[in-house]
Amino acid sequence: MSAAPISKTSPPPGETLTLSAAVAMFGLLLLAYAVNAMDRMVFPMLLVEVRGEYGFSLEAAGLQATVFALGMGLTGLPAGWLQRTLGRKRTIVAGTVMFSVATALTTASTGFTDMLLWRVLSGVGEALQLAAIITVASSAFPARRGVAIGSINVAFAVGSVVGPSLGSSLLEGYGTWRAPMLVYGAIGLALAMAIVVLVSPRLTEINSSASSALHIGGAGTLLSRNPLVLAVITALFGLTDFAFIGLYASYLREQLSFTPGGAGFVIGLSGLAAFASPLGGHLADRMSPRIVLPVLNLGVAACGCALFLGPGSTAWQATFSFLFGLFASSGVYVAAASYLVKSVNGGLVSRAAGLFVTCIYVAAGVAGLLFSSLITVTGWITAGMVQVVGFSILGAALALILRPQLFSTTNTPQDH
């Protein structure tokens, strides 16, 4: 087969990367994403100090903590276009620089409006970074796309664990909420420079001809049945998962009388389950979406029933909080992303990755509002049955109309 023409987003000619080199470079991209997660998870912890300084109401502070999702949701689809224009490596670097600078500039805010702008821009940067890394995972490791995408979620879990812990140490050590924000911004900028120097375009850039050689089949448009159904399943999951993330702690404290420490322990177990994300990716690599997505979504629904209908003991809530994270973060999140990029042909992978980011984070932006409104009207249990359990069951049912035979496959027995 003749060599594909070189474009501005194509890797230079030369030897193919070894698997160890590709994994090491991909690990650096994951490290940059972990720092992003550190910022996202530390800012809510700093809201007490931020509110004390700026006089924000609880609602205004809550908006500052979650408005990044708006930036992510609005940027997901444009991120696919930007990857094709600038290339994936440059998009990752641009996203990393943007969220790092926005994180640092948050500390210079004079009031509500400019702080809101920096938080939105941090979400824009994260969307650029995440969509491009998902595309790289799918293109660079074609035989292990699901596992590679699952590792992205593991990186986020690492950042989620390290971020609040290191942030609290910096807060106590320097006596200001600005310290962790400035440190995380500086780390992000340093990693952006490291990516520029150390990550080869042979990992990140695969032109459409090479991509077509690696991926056989798949839809030629995002408006085909499989991508559209998966987009709806992803949005439903976003409404479910971010309702849990946003308000389950309030349920534990207000309805079940948990202490802050007890609630934190229970919620932390759901985040801990994200370390099993490669398992969810392995299932997506090996099994039909008409099996994996219904089982995982029904698992989320069952856990929702257990959490809202079961006893309020710490043991019970902790067990099903962990299982919820296992089925949701390590399961549906990873499988939905994996199947979306597999539902299209090689030339549309970047757009499919952007569609995933848009669907899940636009839903995330309204999930808390919808759930809180349902709680106000119907109460906690009914709201949980509708948004957490009901939406998950609907996602499971929709997965049954997918056509697995139309998904793309790889013609390489192993990566590289």
Side-chain angles (χ1 to χ4, degrees), residues 35-118:
V35 175
N36 196 327
M38 290 165 62
D39 164 61
R40 190 203 292 186
M41 299 306 292
V42 78
F43 187 74
M45 189 188 73
L46 304 173
L47 284 181
V48 172
E49 287 74 21
V50 172
R51 289 183 64 199
E53 178 174 335
Y54 290 90
F56 295 157
S57 66
L58 180 60
E59 292 80 6
L63 179 60
Q64 296 283 5
T66 58
V67 75
F68 74 91
L70 174 63
M72 291 196 71
L74 294 177
T75 310
L77 284 173
W81 171 83
L82 195 63
Q83 290 177 58
R84 298 190 303 278
T85 303
L86 293 181
R88 297 162 195 163
K89 177 178 175 177
R90 291 175 183 171
T91 301
I92 292 169
V93 171
T96 305
V97 169
M98 180 174 288
F99 84 70
S100 300
V101 170
T103 295
L105 287 177
T106 301
T107 66
S109 300
T110 59
F112 178 83
T113 303
D114 56 342
M115 183 177 288
L116 198 71
L117 173 64
W118 304 132

Side-chain angles (χ1 to χ4, degrees), residues 17-42:
L17 289 173
T18 64
L19 180 58
S20 59
V23 170
M25 292 177 187
F26 189 62
L28 182 58
L29 301 182
L30 296 183
L31 183 59
Y33 185 56
V35 175
N36 196 327
M38 290 165 62
D39 164 61
R40 190 203 292 186
M41 299 306 292
V42 78

Side-chain angles (χ1 to χ4, degrees), residues 40-378:
R40 190 203 292 186
M41 299 306 292
V42 78
F43 187 74
M45 189 188 73
L46 304 173
L47 284 181
V48 172
E49 287 74 21
V50 172
R51 289 183 64 199
E53 178 174 335
Y54 290 90
F56 295 157
S57 66
L58 180 60
E59 292 80 6
L63 179 60
Q64 296 283 5
T66 58
V67 75
F68 74 91
L70 174 63
M72 291 196 71
L74 294 177
T75 310
L77 284 173
W81 171 83
L82 195 63
Q83 290 177 58
R84 298 190 303 278
T85 303
L86 293 181
R88 297 162 195 163
K89 177 178 175 177
R90 291 175 183 171
T91 301
I92 292 169
V93 171
T96 305
V97 169
M98 180 174 288
F99 84 70
S100 300
V101 170
T103 295
L105 287 177
T106 301
T107 66
S109 300
T110 59
F112 178 83
T113 303
D114 56 342
M115 183 177 288
L116 198 71
L117 173 64
W118 304 132
R119 301 314 298 162
V120 170
L121 288 178
S122 72
V124 171
E126 181 173 352
L128 295 177
Q129 184 196 55
L130 176 58
I133 293 176
I134 289 175
T135 305
V136 171
S138 177
S139 299
F141 305 98
R144 305 182 182 91
R145 285 180 281 181
V147 173
I149 291 171
S151 68
I152 300 172
N153 212 32
V154 172
F156 184 86
V158 170
S160 299
V161 171
V162 173
S165 177
L166 178 59
S168 61
S169 298
L170 291 168
L171 174 64
E172 293 172 359
Y174 289 92
T176 172
W177 64 271
R178 290 175 171 82
M181 304 292 285
L182 291 171
V183 169
Y184 292 177
I187 294 173
L189 289 173
L191 286 170
M193 294 300 299
I195 291 170
V196 170
V197 175
L198 298 176
V199 174
S200 170
R202 293 188 180 89
L203 175 79
T204 59
E205 317 303 331
I206 297 178
N207 58 43
S208 58
S209 297
S211 184
S212 298
L214 293 173
H215 303 101
I216 302 171
T221 171
L222 292 179
L223 299 180
S224 298
R225 173 194 287 238
N226 285 337
L228 282 178
V229 171
L230 286 163
V232 175
I233 292 172
T234 300
L236 287 169
F237 173 70
L239 291 171
T240 298
D241 193 40
F242 281 87
F244 172 85
I245 291 171
L247 290 169
Y248 177 58
S250 297
Y251 172 72
L252 290 175
R253 297 187 64 184
E254 295 177 7
Q255 295 298 115
L256 303 183
S257 301
F258 274 60
T259 65
F265 168 74
V266 170
I267 294 167
L269 289 175
S270 68
L272 183 65
F275 284 98
S277 294
L279 176 59
H282 180 74
L283 293 175
D285 283 337
R286 296 290 181 263
M287 299 179 67
S288 167
R290 294 182 64 178
I291 297 174
V292 174
L293 286 172
V295 169
L296 293 176
N297 271 289
L298 290 177
V300 172
C303 290
C305 288
L307 292 171
F308 289 103
L309 298 177
S313 67
T314 298
W316 181 275
Q317 293 292 321
T319 298
F320 284 97
S321 175
F322 176 81
L323 290 175
F324 186 98
L326 194 65
F327 283 108
S329 296
S330 295
V332 180
Y333 181 95
V334 175
S338 300
Y339 287 130
L340 245 177
V341 298
K342 292 179 181 183
S343 71
V344 298
N345 62 37
L348 290 179
V349 168
S350 62
R351 298 184 194 183
L355 179 62
F356 172 78
V357 173
T358 289
C359 288
I360 198 164
Y361 284 105
V362 167
V366 300
L369 176 62
L370 176 60
F371 197 38
S372 60
S373 299
L374 286 172
I375 292 166
T376 300
V377 174
T378 66

